[in-house]
Amino acid sequence: MAAEKLRGSDFEAKVLRSDLPVLVDFWADWCGPCKMLSPVVSEIAAEAKDFKVYAVNVDEEPELASRYGIRSIPSLLVFKDGEIAKQSVGVIPKEQILELLK
């Protein structure tokens, strides 16, 4: 199951107001490293129990990317209680992504 695609209009309700930690993958179709990371994020999304996983296409949601200072993709941001708790830029292994969520 792929990470649910997230629109700017849903960001506050689904991410900032979430009772659970949220992993947000900022990506784009043309991005090679994003294509490498996407299956890993999808796998994590399929296994998610104590957190939520969403994906934001930076080409479709440039205002969100700008709001969170996304300059390089893929970028992973973990939100807890409406705030960025951790972040990572580039391709990282599944274990490191799961560590971000702890």
Side-chain angles (χ1 to χ4, degrees), residues 42-98:
S42 294
E43 189 176 316
I44 291 170
E47 299 169 358
K49 291 185 176 80
D50 304 354
F51 55 89
K52 297 177 183 180
V53 181
Y54 296 106
V56 174
N57 184 320
V58 296
D59 290 333
E60 295 174 4
E61 300 295 335
E63 8 6 271
L64 266 182
S66 177
R67 183 184 321 162
Y68 291 102
I70 304 301
R71 294 192 187 118
S72 296
I73 53 174
S75 285
L76 300 174
L77 275 60
V78 175
F79 289 83
K80 293 182 181 175
D81 300 319
E83 300 289 327
I84 298 172
K86 295 182 184 172
Q87 57 190 42
S88 174
V89 176
V91 177
I92 59 173
K94 180 180 178 180
E95 296 75 28
Q96 284 184 310
I97 297 171
L98 294 173

Side-chain angles (χ1 to χ4, degrees), residues 4 6 10-18 22 52 54:
E4 181 182 336
L6 190 61
D10 298 328
F11 197 84
E12 185 172 340
K14 291 187 174 185
V15 177
L16 303 181
R17 292 187 189 160
S18 176
V22 181
K52 297 177 183 180
Y54 296 106

